Amino acid sequence: VTGVQTCALPIWIVEARAGSSQTDWRVSTDRGEVSFATTTEESVRAQGEHAVLITDTRGIRYLIPDRRELDLESQKILRRFL
């Protein structure tokens, strides 16, 4: 699907800093480190039982196929947004 960046494991959420109008993310993916922003609570959505889809302000979507496979710190950061 166009616009979907599928992040194969390993993936780490380096940081997610929430501001007053947006959240700035820095993640490490199978394609290298990337920074992006999200603006609404709907930007981070559970997909089924374990997958998570994050949509940034440019409409690029990042799929985490199984959040249980993330390292513990990344899981902790992600839980704040689910």
Side-chain angles (χ1 to χ4, degrees):
V1 176
T2 303
V4 175
Q5 178 172 344
T6 302
C7 304
L9 298 175
I11 177 173
W12 297 273
I13 300 172
V14 179
E15 71 177 331
R17 191 174 326 152
S20 61
S21 62
Q22 72 180 29
T23 299
D24 295 313
W25 298 77
R26 193 161 50 110
V27 301
S28 181
T29 75
D30 60 327
R31 297 178 184 163
E33 191 166 292
V34 64
S35 296
F36 59 88
T38 57
T39 56
T40 66
E41 290 180 12
E42 291 82 34
S43 297
V44 182
R45 292 187 308 225
Q47 300 288 300
E49 196 169 340
H50 303 293
V52 175
L53 185 66
I54 302 172
T55 305
D56 73 12
T57 55
R58 297 169 296 167
I60 297 173
R61 296 178 289 171
Y62 301 86
L63 177 64
I64 302 171
D66 189 338
R67 65 181 178 240
R68 299 170 302 171
E69 297 294 328
L70 295 171
D71 64 88
L72 292 178
E73 185 61 28
S74 295
Q75 288 181 42
K76 180 179 174 183
I77 291 169
L78 190 57
R79 273 195 300 273
R80 295 186 346 224
F81 298 94
L82 292 174

